[in-house]
Amino acid sequence: MKFSTRTRYGLRFLVYLANAPVDNLVQLAEVANKEGISRGYLEQIVRDLKPMDILHTTRGVGGGYRLSCPPAQINLEQVFDHLEGGLAPVACLSDEKKCSRQCACTTRPFWQALDAHMRSFLQGMTLEQLIHTYNCK
Amino acid sequence: MKFSTRTRYGLRFLVYLANAPVDNLVQLAEVANKEGISRGYLEQIVRDLKPMDILHTTRGVGGGYRLSCPPAQINLEQVFDHLEGGLAPVACLSDEKKCSRQCACTTRPFWQALDAHMRSFLQGMTLEQLIHTYNCK
DNA sequence: AAAAACACTAGCTTTTTACTAGGTTAAATA
DNA sequence: TATTTAACCTAGTAAAAAGCTAGTGTTTTT
């Protein structure tokens, strides 16, 4: 029930961007260095975040990344969904077809409730909240 | 962030026992059959639950399992801890030594909060509550 | 003694995770 | 225009974990 390094690294990347001066371009290699993450691996992770349209990138000399909107507009449930590939604690909740015993399952409603409880934490939370409420800095 | 089949199967085993007539011995093979779980695998899972002392077993002909206490006294957080091998959403929370960047980590407090939120759901919940609140039956 | 049922161990296959290597493309600068 | 820089992309791979199987031992009843 651990979150993958994908999610942990991806989140740290976003926090790093959010903590940088506004409109400042940050290079991926810099984040990888500072955070002690493999550059190539971080590239892959960041690529998975791109479809969310929360990143603005510039290529070439002096290029890099910045958030394309204020951290207050970045929803963590969505971020987690992208990085983790679905948040559901058991597969049968996200892919309805997977389980043939669905109706008879004695535990499914419980898993649904746990899922809802998890989401209630992430749903309303934004990157800004994470930083202000929980960041040590 | 999925729970393992260990946890799902183990939980279903406990629910099965809880739904059986009180003091009735239930054979593991029966549960495996009814729930569509590999017998040998379920044996391993059940073995991991034994140190919790919530199971009473009798060997030999006519033997089987039953709960050694009422479902209302079986705490789900403990069950999950046993089956899943720790509930923490990231390893650094359970094993303090693992992460050298702990102090500098921008996301650790957030993970702690998520951990606490998850536990708050399971902590108070008993097997009885699971069955009465969430069981379809 | 035989059968039934739990208890335990070792190993094996598949999947996932985490990562590496090596390229391509776009933008700035010399 | 050539070079450099940094994002973009693909494929493969080693290690770990997950999920399971087979086989053997042990206890209890009949």
Side-chain angles (χ1 to χ4, degrees):
Chain A
M1 211 281 313
K2 299 276 180 280
F3 284 91
S4 60
T5 54
R6 293 190 73 78
T7 301
R8 290 187 284 121
Y9 290 176
L11 197 59
R12 274 156 68 189
F13 181 81
L14 291 179
V15 169
Y16 196 103
L17 290 198
N19 279 330
V22 179
D23 290 333
N24 196 52
L25 287 178
V26 177
Q27 277 126 45
L28 189 138
E30 178 191 326
V31 186
N33 260 326
K34 288 274 175 63
E35 293 285 329
I37 300 171
S38 142
R39 196 184 124 283
Y41 191 34
L42 186 57
E43 267 181 359
Q44 289 174 28
I45 295 167
V46 169
R47 198 161 69 233
D48 289 348
L49 286 173
K50 294 223 66 189
M52 285 187 69
D53 289 326
I54 55 174
L55 294 176
H56 176 272
T57 72
T58 314
R59 287 173 152 201
V61 179
Y65 294 88
R66 64 173 173 77
L67 296 178
S68 60
C69 55
Q73 283 170 35
I74 294 175
N75 176 259
L76 289 195
E77 192 194 13
Q78 282 172 38
V79 171
F80 272 65
D81 256 328
H82 269 261
L83 290 171
E84 198 67 23
L87 266 177
V90 291
C92 64
L93 293 185
S94 35
D95 188 349
E96 304 287 326
K97 289 163 195 169
K98 259 187 182 163
C99 184
S100 58
R101 33 190 320 108
Q102 203 172 107
C103 299
C105 185
T106 51
T107 49
R108 193 166 197 275
F110 165 78
W111 291 119
Q112 284 175 319
L114 180 56
D115 184 42
H117 189 255
M118 281 269 308
R119 280 180 199 280
S120 77
F121 182 83
L122 293 171
Q123 220 151 38
M125 190 172 301
T126 66
L127 188 56
E128 162 140 301
Q129 276 181 280
L130 188 160
I131 288 166
H132 279 98
T133 315
Y134 300 114
N135 205 338
C136 305
K137 252 179 80 171
Chain B
M1 214 280 312
K2 299 277 179 281
F3 283 90
S4 60
T5 53
R6 295 190 72 77
T7 301
R8 289 187 284 120
Y9 291 174
L11 197 59
R12 274 157 67 191
F13 181 80
L14 291 179
V15 169
Y16 196 103
L17 290 198
N19 280 330
V22 179
D23 290 333
N24 197 51
L25 287 177
V26 178
Q27 278 124 47
L28 189 137
E30 178 191 327
V31 186
N33 260 325
K34 287 275 176 60
E35 294 285 330
I37 300 171
S38 143
R39 195 185 125 283
Y41 192 33
L42 186 57
E43 267 182 359
Q44 290 174 29
I45 295 168
V46 169
R47 200 161 68 233
D48 290 347
L49 286 173
K50 294 223 65 190
M52 283 188 72
D53 289 325
I54 55 174
L55 294 176
H56 177 272
T57 71
T58 313
R59 288 174 151 199
V61 179
Y65 294 90
R66 64 172 174 77
L67 297 177
S68 59
C69 55
Q73 283 170 35
I74 295 175
N75 176 259
L76 289 194
E77 192 195 11
Q78 283 172 37
V79 171
F80 272 65
D81 257 326
H82 263 82
L83 290 171
E84 198 67 23
L87 267 176
V90 291
C92 64
L93 294 186
S94 36
D95 188 350
E96 302 288 325
K97 289 160 192 166
K98 259 189 181 161
C99 185
S100 58
R101 33 191 319 109
Q102 202 173 106
C103 297
C105 184
T106 51
T107 48
R108 195 165 196 274
F110 165 78
W111 290 120
Q112 285 175 319
L114 181 56
D115 184 41
H117 190 255
M118 280 269 305
R119 280 180 198 280
S120 77
F121 182 82
L122 293 171
Q123 219 152 40
M125 190 172 301
T126 67
L127 187 57
E128 162 142 300
Q129 276 181 281
L130 188 161
I131 288 165
H132 278 99
T133 315
Y134 300 114
N135 205 338
C136 306
K137 253 177 81 172

